[in-house]
Amino acid sequence: MSLTADDVRRLALLARLELTDEEVDAIGPQVTKILGFVEQLALLDTEDVEPMTTALDLDNRWRADELVPSLTNEQALQNAPAKDDSCFLVPPVLGTAASKSSH
Amino acid sequence: MSKHEITTIIGLEVHVQLKTKTKLFCSCSAAFGAPPNTQVCPVCLGLPGALPVMNEEAIELAIRAGLAINCSIPPMTKWDRKQYFYPDLPKGYQISQFDLPICADGYLEITDPEDPDSIRHIGIIRAHLEEDAGKSMHDEQTGKSDTRIDLNRCGTPLLEIVSQPDLRSAAEVKEYLTQLKLILTHLDVSDCEMQEGSLRVDANVNLHIRFDGKKIATPIVEVKNMNSFRAVERALEYEIERQYADWEVDGLTIEDNPKTTRGWDDVKERTFVQREKEESADYRYFPDPDLLPIRIPAERVEELRQSLGELPRETFARLQSQHGLKPYDADVIVNQGPAMIAYYERVSELSGDAKRASSWIQQDVMRTLKDRDVSIDDFLVTSVQLGELLKRVSDGQLDNTRARDVFSYLLEKESTVEQAIAALGIEQVDSSEIDALCQALLDANPAVVDDVRGGKVQAVGSLIGQAKKKNPNANPQQVRETLLRLIGK
């Protein structure tokens, strides 16, 4: 399959990447090539093969519901580019996004 | 409201926070209300290299909840990444469950609000586990200051319960939520407090209108931002009216505009548009390579099923069949939760009179609890005391009025029923004493005797009051019977 410029722009939007027209032109064929490579898998007959959810032969790895101390507020914020006395700061989230609720 | 026959179609997505001590994929506290960013670690901050590890308790709670709402628990379930960008989701994806949820295909039984004697089954499509996001605090005034992000809530375990579009009115939605909360709090799976966000509701609603012999569907609206059961009910009532009124004006159907999102404004009591056209959601789900699948053996599911005990709907049925309570009365008691059910059962057993126990609990006990703002666990009159007190009423040793005096006494002073009765000077009056009292009253009030003989039986009422004054221990019922006997009626 071949990706159109619009496909590439949509992918870029979903990934929050800003691409120039030149970049869209350059990236389109590259992503198409990657897809083509992965598409080779479709050549295999998987009719009787159970879907695989993990490459490991393991399941049910969990932990007990026991508290372990968290980071301090200071540690949590120490690498933040912007912060106040207790929170991370990000540029104002405007418009309808501000009333966003659960996804 | 309508000239045409309409059917309301509502489906709910309910998120409940599971009552674990720690988060879903790390060992930070999941408690509500801590100072911002003090319950975070590299996993919930999404720092590079951090790896999630499942919380076993969250899985058990999810299965218990699922079984209680009649879901099946598939032998295998797994985790998927749901990608979206928002500042309170530091990883850039939410760990959720896409195609293989932990609970599938159940139903919830509710009482039909239109007919209290009949029952409706509301289908449940699925219930899946996922992690919560953090909290964004916006500059509501000017919208210019930075948004503050608190990631304490990031990674707390949620169970998202998705219903079939089986609900037909705002009243049914309220009943569904009430039952769901009752079950989940009963099992101690979640606190289900809408104010604290441990229960959140999104409702999808539209109307099917019969018009010119055809069925017309209005555009589906997802209603959000409702923060109490009352708000949910009012928002849906509003939305149903609005959709019909709009359709009458613009005639738009689901084909013109498949889905919009509206928020509920609790102050203005209306919904408002949040997103006009739903951008086709593209979350690009894929299996989370950091986590292993979960396999729950059928035996384990059975063990958990056995551990559920009697569920609220079963208690509701038993209080009717075994105790002879009316559906309304059984419903009131069951809705008060496990502690009240236990209290009622003890009072009922000790007094040997289920209906009297139910009536006293619904009136005297519940009113006192409300007035004093205490829970049944801290109530001063124990179930044993009330049971003993009501037994005396049933046996005819005390009338209701005197029993209320004892009840009030027990609320004020620590004492046994026996001691309270003695302290109040309550004693049984023997019938010869009542006879004498009544005869004296009749002699003093010939007019009343004439009235009663003339057919006005209710005239004895005034004498019962007088008898009570002369001897507070006189049983009004007995006085009444004696008076009528002596008059010869």
Side-chain angles (χ1 to χ4, degrees):
Chain A
M1 71 179 277
S2 180
L3 286 179
T4 66
D6 278 346
D7 291 335
V8 175
R9 285 197 187 89
R10 180 167 160 68
L11 271 178
L13 175 72
L14 288 170
R16 299 298 184 270
L17 295 174
E18 222 173 317
L19 299 184
T20 62
D21 288 348
E22 291 76 45
E23 285 170 320
V24 169
D25 291 342
I27 284 171
Q30 292 175 21
V31 179
T32 302
K33 253 174 123 176
I34 295 170
L35 286 176
F37 173 72
V38 177
E39 244 178 9
Q40 292 179 71
L41 288 172
L43 296 173
L44 295 171
D45 177 8
T46 55
E47 188 63 27
D48 296 317
V49 180
E50 238 186 84
M52 188 177 79
T53 50
T54 170
L56 297 174
D57 210 4
L58 290 170
D59 50 34
N60 297 4
R61 287 296 182 273
W62 45 48
R63 42 168 252 280
D65 186 25
E66 283 160 14
L67 271 177
V68 169
S70 299
L71 299 175
T72 63
N73 181 259
E74 208 173 28
Q75 288 171 325
L77 298 178
Q78 71 180 351
N79 293 323
K83 60 194 164 189
D84 62 12
D85 55 348
S86 61
C87 286
F88 298 91
L89 296 181
V90 297
V93 181
L94 292 170
T96 57
S99 45
K100 164 220 95 138
S101 67
S102 56
H103 278 258
Chain B
M1 72 178 189
S2 59
K3 294 191 284 285
H4 305 287
E5 187 191 321
I6 64 164
T7 309
T8 303
I9 311 290
I10 305 171
L12 295 184
E13 288 168 21
V14 176
H15 287 82
V16 293
Q17 189 186 329
L18 298 177
K19 242 175 132 173
T20 52
K21 289 202 279 293
T22 67
K23 295 184 180 181
L24 189 50
F25 298 114
C26 67
S27 303
C28 289
S29 168
F32 176 80
N37 298 304
T38 55
Q39 292 175 171
V40 291
C41 73
V43 174
C44 43
L45 292 176
L47 299 185
L51 285 172
V53 185
M54 281 181 273
N55 181 342
E56 184 179 15
E57 177 71 6
I59 293 158
E60 295 229 349
L61 291 179
I63 295 173
R64 283 164 61 82
L67 290 172
I69 52 177
N70 307 294
C71 285
S72 59
I73 310 298
M76 207 270 279
T77 181
K78 70 172 176 63
W79 302 99
D80 300 279
R81 291 185 179 182
K82 178 179 178 177
Q83 345 274 325
Y84 66 89
F85 287 103
Y86 203 78
D88 58 24
L89 185 78
K91 295 195 299 300
Y93 60 85
Q94 177 190 30
I95 305 176
S96 181
Q97 301 197 285
F98 182 53
D99 54 337
L100 295 169
I102 189 161
C103 311
D105 198 19
Y107 66 88
L108 192 62
E109 201 179 280
I110 65 168
T111 301
D112 185 346
E114 300 277 301
D115 172 13
D117 290 327
S118 76
I119 281 165
R120 298 244 301 116
H121 278 198
I122 307 302
I124 286 167
I125 299 173
R126 57 186 277 160
H128 67 259
L129 275 164
E130 62 187 27
E131 56 176 352
D132 206 346
K135 201 168 114 192
S136 305
M137 290 160 283
H138 307 287
D139 171 12
E140 304 281 355
Q141 262 77 51
T142 65
K144 283 182 188 144
S145 304
D146 284 344
T147 294
R148 306 172 70 226
I149 308 286
D150 171 10
L151 297 177
N152 280 349
R153 204 178 60 186
C154 221
T156 54
L158 298 176
L159 188 69
E160 179 176 341
I161 301 163
V162 185
S163 87
Q164 295 279 5
D166 285 349
L167 295 152
R168 294 289 168 267
S169 67
E172 282 194 5
V173 167
K174 188 163 174 236
E175 178 63 17
Y176 173 91
L177 292 174
T178 305
Q179 285 304 324
L180 190 61
K181 176 173 178 169
L182 198 57
I183 291 171
L184 299 181
T185 51
H186 174 88
L187 292 175
D188 214 20
V189 160
S190 172
D191 290 329
C192 295
E193 290 291 348
M194 282 191 91
Q195 314 287 349
E196 291 187 1
S198 62
L199 187 152
R200 293 168 232 162
V201 180
D202 298 330
N204 285 290
V205 53
N206 78 334
L207 308 176
H208 287 175
I209 303 167
R210 276 254 150 242
F211 182 70
D212 274 357
K214 290 183 305 232
K215 186 188 83 183
I216 292 171
T218 58
I220 294 176
V221 171
E222 179 168 1
V223 187
K224 290 174 173 283
N225 298 0
M226 301 170 287
N227 55 16
S228 68
F229 280 17
R230 185 80 194 102
V232 173
E233 198 182 14
R234 288 205 303 216
L236 290 172
E237 278 165 1
Y238 174 89
E239 189 55 27
I240 291 163
E241 298 265 344
R242 187 200 64 79
Q243 287 192 17
Y244 188 79
D246 278 16
W247 173 77
E248 279 195 311
V249 174
D250 61 27
L252 291 182
T253 72
I254 196 161
E255 271 113 55
D256 303 308
N257 190 0
K259 189 168 172 185
T260 51
T261 302
R262 298 177 75 95
W264 169 245
D265 185 326
D266 215 25
V267 180
K268 293 182 183 147
E269 300 199 355
R270 59 184 186 84
T271 60
F272 58 93
V273 175
Q274 284 188 326
R275 258 178 297 187
E276 191 57 67
K277 272 233 162 76
E278 199 84 349
E279 68 252 46
S280 68
D282 195 342
Y283 292 121
R284 293 151 296 143
Y285 282 97
F286 67 83
D288 192 316
D290 288 345
L291 287 157
L292 292 162
I294 305 168
R295 286 177 214 279
I296 311 289
E299 305 81 66
R300 183 70 191 128
V301 174
E302 272 323 298
E303 270 171 42
L304 288 168
R305 194 194 302 278
Q306 296 308 319
S307 77
L308 295 181
E310 188 178 67
L311 294 169
R313 284 308 281 190
E314 293 160 2
T315 314
F316 173 70
R318 187 169 57 79
L319 293 189
Q320 293 171 71
S321 62
Q322 280 182 15
H323 292 226
L325 297 189
K326 295 213 171 68
Y328 174 86
D329 297 318
D331 194 49
V332 171
I333 291 170
V334 171
N335 280 334
Q336 300 295 311
M340 184 62 93
I341 294 169
Y343 186 93
Y344 158 77
E345 296 221 54
R346 194 91 179 103
V347 174
S348 170
E349 182 198 342
L350 290 172
S351 67
D353 191 338
K355 282 179 187 157
R356 194 183 301 278
S358 149
S359 134
W360 268 73
I361 285 170
Q362 287 184 61
Q363 291 167 35
D364 304 84
V365 175
M366 280 169 56
R367 187 176 47 224
T368 315
L369 291 177
K370 193 163 171 255
D371 288 349
R372 303 188 173 199
D373 196 23
V374 290
S375 77
I376 190 70
D377 299 304
D378 303 323
F379 194 51
L380 287 163
V381 182
T382 66
S383 54
V384 174
Q385 287 177 318
L386 187 59
E388 193 187 331
L389 180 61
L390 298 188
K391 172 101 175 73
R392 288 174 191 249
V393 178
S394 299
D395 290 351
Q397 295 173 35
L398 276 179
D399 64 69
N400 255 320
T401 320
R402 289 312 254 162
R404 290 222 158 79
D405 294 341
V406 176
F407 183 76
S408 305
Y409 186 90
L410 292 173
L411 280 173
E412 301 311 326
K413 295 203 177 63
E414 232 173 83
S415 93
T416 65
V417 173
E418 190 87 50
Q419 287 164 346
I421 287 173
L424 290 167
I426 299 173
E427 49 191 44
Q428 260 198 293
V429 187
D430 88 28
S431 58
S432 64
E433 218 173 304
I434 299 274
D435 278 8
L437 177 66
C438 289
Q439 193 56 58
L441 285 170
L442 291 173
D443 292 347
N445 297 280
V448 172
V449 177
D450 288 345
D451 282 350
V452 174
R453 292 218 165 106
K456 274 181 71 184
V457 177
Q458 70 272 29
V460 296
S462 66
L463 299 187
I464 297 172
Q466 290 187 41
K468 254 330 234 183
K469 268 190 203 138
K470 285 190 197 291
N471 185 346
N473 290 319
N475 179 327
Q477 185 58 29
Q478 196 186 354
V479 168
R480 184 189 153 83
E481 280 161 13
T482 308
L483 286 169
L484 292 177
R485 176 166 52 77
L486 292 175
I487 296 170
K489 258 282 170 183

